Amino acid sequence: MPRKKAVRKSTKRKVSPKKKRSTSKRKTTRKKGSPTPKNAALYARVKAAAKRKFDVYPSAYANAWLVREYKKRGGKY
């Protein structure tokens, strides 16, 4: 004769009442993109120098050098 499965009693949890949303508009936070250089000509010159200086240009070291050199020469983001 097969055994009967034990039935658990459901335990009800107290649920806190939902908070009402305000009708005023909420500020939406947008994810910002990567910073763009303000001085495009200077950035292009520094980028060309980075390509000449490093064997592998798109690398972390080359990009870090590019940013430091661009800021050193007066560039802003």
Side-chain angles (χ1 to χ4, degrees):
M1 188 168 190
R3 289 184 169 181
K4 291 184 180 179
K5 291 184 179 179
V7 179
R8 287 188 184 178
K9 292 183 181 179
S10 62
T11 56
K12 291 185 180 181
R13 288 190 245 166
K14 291 184 180 179
V15 179
S16 60
K18 291 184 179 178
K19 293 181 181 178
K20 292 183 180 180
R21 291 188 181 181
S22 62
T23 56
S24 64
K25 289 185 179 180
R26 292 173 34 169
K27 290 183 180 179
T28 57
T29 55
R30 290 179 51 189
K31 190 173 184 181
K32 294 182 180 180
S34 61
T36 56
K38 300 288 184 194
N39 190 345
L42 175 63
Y43 188 81
R45 286 196 306 268
V46 176
K47 187 174 179 179
K51 286 182 179 181
R52 286 191 303 270
K53 182 177 175 76
F54 295 95
D55 294 334
V56 179
Y57 166 66
S59 67
Y61 292 109
N63 287 332
W65 181 86
L66 185 144
V67 171
R68 271 186 280 131
E69 190 67 22
Y70 176 70
K71 287 182 177 180
K72 189 187 300 182
R73 294 185 190 186
K76 304 280 184 189
Y77 284 100

